[in-house]
């Protein structure tokens, strides 16, 4: 028996019990993070297919005219890596086991680029809830190369083999289906798909939970790397909403992250919230990459938005600075949205430019597109006073400004 938690709202958990998912009846099952209409990571990756069965049973996976075999391990897990496959499809994949006549068919599978979108409420906020929702949903009817998946909000005190709940299994994007999808994740994927002229299928996985902290998304290994947090719910979201993807592990192109609000107002560790986040955030990134088997997996994230009610206000500013700590890691991208905040709401509804900015980061770093993607970075400043006027000159780093913005920006304060 494994204790799980279900949030009725933002961090209002109620306790219930479920049978451990490692108890498997006879027959072969495919992991519930996979399914018909999914996107698997294209070449050069060798995308794994995995699932569960009775130890010792043989498993046959048929794909593109070839059969791949394996045996269920003592841990009830089987795994087959498909050959690197270029962008395209659809394909059918069948899975059969020696201990049952049942055959699992995964239909309409595409190969393309897979992105895992995670974080708290600003990532969770759905298309149905944001600005320009109706037009965006209507447009999705024309985005024939996009698929998406939404994990249910659950917590666990112990790593689980599969998702406890699925809000939306792998689904073809249409105006009737995309409303419950993460808006930021959708806009990211949409802009990327359009920039690629819809030549590469895009698969989006939304696994987010409002009101949650970075330590809840960090594994015990990542927590130990910093050794600060005593949160009783350390790793609960890692266990329930990330670990099932690590069991394959799921091959993917990158991760998109939008979180931090809860760590502005949460408990103080390491003497200051920002000090803690400066360690825990990059530790989580490094650990997620390790668990997914790619040490330099692309990881991009969104800094905190502006909001009038941060209290005290310098906590948010300090955490934004702490959010720059992963830039010392390889293959990292980020964007700022402090200008897209809402004075009275920590959940600004203008999500289209947020997703668009993150998409530009991926366009530049992963696809070699010549787009301005790096926020303005401070280099230096100076001030001169003439009478009652003070002129402050701010110099930005040259690679973080475009042709429409001078590298030296003067402003006069009176």
């Amino acid at each position: 028996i494994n204790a799980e938690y279900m949030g009725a709202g933002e961090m209002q958990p109620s306790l219930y019990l479920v049978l451990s998912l490692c108890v498997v009846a006879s027959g072969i099952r495919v992991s519930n993070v996979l399914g018909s209409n999914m996107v698997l990571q294209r070449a050069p990756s060798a995308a794994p297919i995995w699932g569960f069965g009775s130890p010792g049973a043989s498993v046959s996976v048929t794909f593109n005219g070839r059969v791949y075999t394996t045996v269920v391990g003592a841990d009830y897990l089987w795994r087959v890596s498909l050959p690197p496959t270029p962008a395209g499809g659809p394909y059918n994949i069948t899975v059969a086991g020696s201990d049952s006549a049942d055959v699992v068919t995964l239909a309409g599978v595409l190969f393309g680029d897979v992105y895992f979108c995670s974080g708290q409420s600003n990532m969770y906020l759905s298309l149905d809830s944001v600005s320009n929702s109706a037009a965006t949903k209507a447009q999705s009817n024309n985005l024939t190369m996009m698929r998406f998946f939404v994990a249910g909000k659950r917590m666990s005190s112990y790593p689980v083999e599969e998702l406890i709940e699925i809000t939306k299994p792998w689904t073809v994007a249409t105006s009737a289906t995309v409303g419950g999808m993460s808006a930021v994740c959708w806009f990211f994927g949409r802009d990327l798909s359009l920039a690629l002229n819809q030549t590469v299928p895009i698969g989006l996985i939304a696994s987010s939970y409002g009101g949650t902290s970075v330590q809840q998304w960090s594994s015990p290994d990542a927590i130990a790397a910093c050794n600060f947090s005593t949160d009783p719910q350390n790793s609960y979201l890692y266990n329930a909403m990330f670990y099932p993807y690590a069991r394959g592990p799921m091959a993917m192109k990158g991760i998109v992250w939008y979180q931090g609000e809860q760590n502005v107002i949460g408990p103080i560790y390491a003497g200051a919230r920002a000090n803690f986040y400066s360690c825990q955030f990059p530790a989580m990134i490094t650990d997620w990459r390790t668990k997914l088997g790619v040490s330099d997996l692309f990881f991009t994230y969104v800094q905190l938005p502006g909001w009038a009610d941060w209290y005290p206000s310098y906590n948010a500013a300090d955490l934004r600075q702490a959010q720059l700590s992963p830039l010392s890691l390889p293959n990292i991208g980020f964007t700022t949205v402090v200008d897209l905040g809402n004075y009275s709401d920590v959940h600004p509804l203008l999500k289209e430019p947020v997703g668009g900015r993150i998409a530009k980061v991926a366009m530049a770093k992963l696809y070699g597109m010549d787009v301005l993607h790096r926020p303005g970075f401070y280099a230096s400043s100076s001030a001169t006073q003439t009478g009652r006027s003070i002129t402050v000159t701010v110099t930005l780093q040259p690679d973080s400004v475009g042709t429409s913005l001078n590298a030296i920006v003067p402003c006069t304060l009176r």
Side-chain angles (χ1 to χ4, degrees):
I1 299 295
N2 189 31
E4 314 295 348
Y5 288 83
M6 180 177 82
E10 292 224 350
M11 299 305 296
Q12 299 172 15
S14 58
L15 178 64
Y16 71 100
L17 297 176
V18 298
L19 291 175
S20 173
L21 290 171
C22 66
V23 178
V24 180
S26 62
I28 294 298
R29 291 193 301 105
V30 174
S31 171
N32 67 3
V33 306
L34 308 173
S36 294
N37 299 314
M38 67 181 169
V39 178
L40 292 176
Q41 185 58 42
R42 60 173 168 153
S45 294
I49 296 287
W50 74 97
F52 310 93
S54 301
S58 62
V59 181
S60 298
V61 177
T62 302
F63 167 68
N64 204 20
R66 296 187 61 184
V67 179
Y68 306 87
T69 61
T70 189
V71 175
V72 181
D75 58 354
Y76 299 89
L77 183 73
W78 61 265
R79 180 188 296 108
V80 167
S81 290
L82 300 179
T85 304
Y91 297 94
N92 287 345
I93 301 172
T94 61
V95 181
S98 62
D99 62 344
S100 171
D102 295 337
V103 175
V104 179
T105 299
L106 306 174
V109 176
L110 301 179
F111 282 78
D113 287 341
V114 179
Y115 289 92
F116 186 82
C117 301
S118 191
Q120 60 177 106
S121 50
N122 271 311
M123 179 61 84
Y124 181 82
L125 201 67
S126 71
L127 272 176
D128 279 336
S129 305
V130 302
S131 303
N132 203 29
S133 174
T136 299
K137 288 191 289 185
Q139 180 195 29
S140 68
N141 291 321
N142 301 319
L143 300 173
T144 58
M145 301 294 275
M146 292 189 66
R147 306 285 188 271
F148 68 97
F149 181 103
V150 183
K153 296 194 301 180
R154 289 292 184 264
M155 296 187 183
S156 174
S157 59
Y158 187 84
V160 293
E161 300 292 300
E162 295 185 281
L163 294 173
I164 301 165
E165 179 182 332
I166 295 172
T167 299
K168 182 77 74 171
W170 281 103
T171 302
V172 177
T174 69
S175 58
T177 62
V178 298
M181 176 58 175
S182 158
V184 168
C185 189
W186 177 259
F187 286 126
F188 163 81
R190 181 203 67 179
D191 285 10
L192 193 55
S193 181
L194 292 174
L196 294 168
N197 297 314
Q198 299 195 64
T199 58
V200 178
I202 299 295
L204 303 173
I205 300 168
S207 183
S208 52
Y209 197 135
T212 56
S213 61
V214 68
Q215 59 266 32
Q216 291 172 292
W217 291 98
S218 299
S219 76
D221 292 333
I223 295 293
C226 295
N227 199 29
F228 294 137
S229 176
T230 57
D231 190 329
Q233 292 185 344
N234 279 346
S235 306
Y236 274 28
L237 290 165
Y238 166 84
N239 291 339
M241 298 182 71
F242 179 84
Y243 183 77
Y245 292 92
R247 293 300 280 139
M250 186 85 175
M252 57 185 69
K253 188 74 169 179
I255 296 172
V256 182
W257 176 259
Y258 192 170
Q259 186 276 334
E261 297 88 344
Q262 191 67 19
N263 286 99
V264 173
I265 61 175
I268 297 175
Y269 302 114
R273 295 177 179 90
N275 291 349
F276 166 69
Y277 205 88
S278 293
C279 180
Q280 196 61 62
F281 186 28
M284 185 204 79
I285 295 171
T286 299
D287 181 71
W288 278 21
R289 288 169 160 178
T290 299
K291 298 300 193 293
L292 293 172
V294 183
S295 61
D296 61 348
L297 180 68
F298 177 67
F299 191 105
T300 188
Y301 59 93
V302 183
Q303 277 188 310
L304 289 176
W307 183 41
D309 289 343
W310 293 121
Y311 181 81
S313 61
Y314 59 76
N315 280 351
D318 287 349
L319 201 87
R320 285 191 196 97
Q321 188 66 29
Q323 287 178 314
L324 299 180
S325 57
L327 295 181
S328 61
L329 301 175
N331 211 15
I332 292 287
F334 90 103
T335 196
T336 181
V337 295
V338 68
D339 58 316
L340 298 177
N342 186 308
Y343 180 82
S344 59
D345 190 351
V346 73
H347 304 119
L349 301 184
L350 194 62
K351 291 292 191 273
E352 192 166 9
V354 179
R357 289 180 185 182
I358 314 170
K360 283 185 169 61
V361 177
M363 291 174 201
K365 287 185 168 287
L366 295 181
Y367 302 93
M369 299 183 191
D370 185 15
V371 294
L372 182 63
H373 67 281
R374 195 165 180 256
F377 259 77
Y378 173 86
S380 63
S381 62
S382 60
T384 59
Q385 182 173 354
T386 304
R388 297 178 60 85
S389 295
I390 299 176
T391 299
V392 178
T393 301
V394 178
T395 303
L396 303 179
Q397 295 180 14
D399 63 347
S400 65
V401 293
T403 56
S404 62
L405 179 65
N406 293 325
I408 298 178
V409 183
C411 54
T412 301
L413 308 178
R414 298 182 184 274

